[in-house]
């Protein structure tokens, strides 16, 4: 064994070489592809999402929320590093057996390339993933021996040089990958007085609540089934209305933006968020009415339902009736939709849970028979109208010694009529101040309540009454499967 090692000049601990090969493959893929579907982690995370049992996914959604995405990404990194690393180790072992120095390099390079090319469907960009591990293996077989027979000093120097190169490569690859990630969407739409007026009015009437979003959200949440968002471009985007229709209709971005546009505020809320969670936000959206387009195609079919499909293979099914007042939105707060919110076009269906507000929309299929959507196949019931909620995100001390509590209330198209606050654990109730409703069909309102605090701890409870006079149910229920309910309460000192 020692003789063979000497002969190959390759005594770098083989596992360490494997680890480096795996890590550089991920970095190299990122440098070549950026954060796009051609990045090796995109298909691996998608595969993980498809493989993990629904019960686990649903538990992660309820307990970890968006952290689940990071966990998925980390798992995909570990898997990819392990796969490429194992390949490099195997290649080195085979090379040693056959006393061939070139073989491990070729096996590692070609094997990684094949794996990434097949996974991503991007043979050219897969070279970015394949070359670095091949170089790592090349250096390992060519480097002077690190075996114990060499002086400690020389081994240290080699390890240091290796580590520094790895860190340098990782930093460089990260920087290059970031620049390779296309910035899609987000640029300003043509100026519009109406939009400016609406946004200015919303800002002017917004309560300033410490720890809670203004009326138009600064940080709009995102929820995606895929870790890596699609990279659609408006110049080659089309939407097809197909299935049980008299005549298929296809339109492109120019057709869509040439239609008479609508600007309106709308609130989105994710069915999977906890009762007092952070996945409810509001924006000013710009788009064209969707219902007319579907009517133009002449929908038939027995179920009176449609399936919306998207570029990330996401799909949702719901009744055609829900499309009343729906928009094909291409603008958000005066800018083109950002990539993360569905650039170039998403559906907006007022009053329904976030999951049917399909982003990166590409197809509307009129169905003959009812079917399940992506989340319904996983046990959720998130296509219907939203539940009523009043959230408590802000507690602050006013200069005059009073306390202020506040947050948002939302009840979809039913609207919010009243928000009631108790500062004694629910024994007595007071009416909160509300912002005026924004111009829209399904919008939240901010609420705030100011009071002289009792000395010591007290329990603040909040509940909303919707525009149809229904009080928000008190009964507590978890998010799965049809949205969290209950009254939000918080101990204030
Ligand atoms: N194509 C596509 N559309 C999608 C999703 C998705 O994963 N893919 N997630 C849905 C869910 S669950 C929610 S809550 C909303 C969130 O929209 P936002 O990310 O713009 O806040 O988008 C919906 N539309
Ligand atoms: Mo959602």
């Amino acid at each position: 064994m020692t003789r063979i090692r000497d002969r190959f000049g390759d005594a770098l601990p083989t596992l360490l070489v494997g680890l480096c090969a795996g890590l550089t493959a991920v970095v190299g893929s990122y440098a070549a592809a950026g954060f796009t579907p051609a990045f090796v982690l995109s298909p691996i995370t998608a595969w993980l999402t498809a493989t993990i049992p629904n019960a686990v996914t649903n538990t992660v959604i309820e307990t970890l929320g968006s952290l689940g995405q990071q966990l998925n990404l980390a798992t995909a990194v570990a898997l990819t590093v392990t796969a490429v690393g194992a390949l490099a180790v195997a290649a080195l072992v085979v090379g040693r057996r056959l006393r061939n120095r070139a073989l491990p390099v070729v096996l590692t390079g070609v094997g990684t390339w094949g794996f990434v090319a097949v996974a991503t469907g991007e043979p050219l960009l897969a070279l970015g993933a394949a070359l670095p591990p091949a170089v790592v293996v090349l250096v390992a077989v060519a480097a002077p021996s690190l075996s114990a027979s060499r002086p400690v000093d020389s081994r240290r120097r080699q390890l240091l040089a290796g580590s520094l190169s790895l860190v340098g490569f990782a930093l460089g690859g990260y920087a290059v990958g970031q620049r390779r990630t296309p910035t899609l969407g987000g640029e300003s739409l043509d100026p519009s007085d109406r939009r400016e007026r609406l946004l200015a009015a919303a800002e002017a009437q917004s309560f300033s609540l410490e720890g809670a979003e203004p009326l138009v959200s600064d940080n709009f949440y995102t929820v995606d089934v895929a870790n890596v968002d699609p990279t659609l471009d408006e110049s080659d985007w089309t939407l097809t209305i197909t299935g049980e229709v008299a005549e298929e209709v296809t339109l492109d971005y120019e057709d869509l933006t040439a239609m008479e546009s609508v600007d309106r505020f709308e609130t989105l809320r994710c069915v999977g968020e906890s009762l007092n969670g952070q996945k409810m936000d509001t924006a000013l959206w710009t788009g064209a009415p969707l219902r007319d387009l579907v009517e133009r195609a002449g929908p038939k079919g027995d179920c009176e339902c449609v399936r919306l499909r998207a570029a990330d293979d996401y799909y949702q099914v719901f009744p055609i009736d829900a499309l009343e007042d729906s928009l094909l939105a291409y603008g958000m707060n005066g800018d083109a939709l950002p990539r993360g919110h569905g650039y170039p076009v998403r559906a907006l269906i007022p009053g329904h849970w976030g999951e049917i507000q399909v982003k990166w929309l590409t197809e509307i299929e009129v169905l003959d028979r009812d079917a399940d959507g992506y989340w319904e196949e996983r046990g959720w019931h998130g296509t219907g109208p939203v539940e009523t909620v009043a959230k408590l995100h802000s507690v602050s001390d006013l200069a005059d010694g009073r306390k202020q509590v506040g947050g948002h209330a939302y009840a979809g198209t039913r609207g919010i009529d009243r928000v009631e606050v108790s500062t004694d654990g629910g024994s007595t109730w007071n009416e909160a101040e509300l912002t005026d409703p924004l111009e829209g069909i399904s919008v939240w309102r901010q609420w705030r309540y100011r009071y002289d605090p009792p000395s010591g701890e007290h329990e603040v409870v909040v509940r909303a009454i919707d525009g149809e006079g229904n009080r928000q149910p008190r009964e507590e229920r978890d998010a799965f499967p049809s949205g969290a309910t209950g009254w939000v309460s918080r101990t204030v000192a």
Side-chain angles (χ1 to χ4, degrees), residues 16-28 132-133 136 158-174:
L16 209 59
V17 176
L19 181 67
C20 293
L23 287 171
T24 56
V26 174
V27 173
V136 168
Q158 257 185 330
L159 273 180
L160 188 66
S163 313
L164 285 180
S165 329
L166 195 65
V167 170
F169 182 72
L171 291 177
Y174 179 71

Side-chain angles (χ1 to χ4, degrees), residues 34-84:
F35 208 63
T36 71
F39 179 31
V40 63
L41 295 187
S42 176
I44 305 295
T45 47
W47 175 77
L48 277 168
T49 304
T51 309
I52 293 166
N54 296 335
V56 176
T57 307
N58 291 339
T59 310
V60 168
I61 290 172
E62 280 199 330
T63 53
L64 294 180
S66 341
L67 257 180
Q69 286 276 22
Q70 271 97 293
L71 200 65
N72 200 30
L73 200 64
T75 312
V77 172
L79 275 181
T80 310
V81 169
T82 307
V84 174

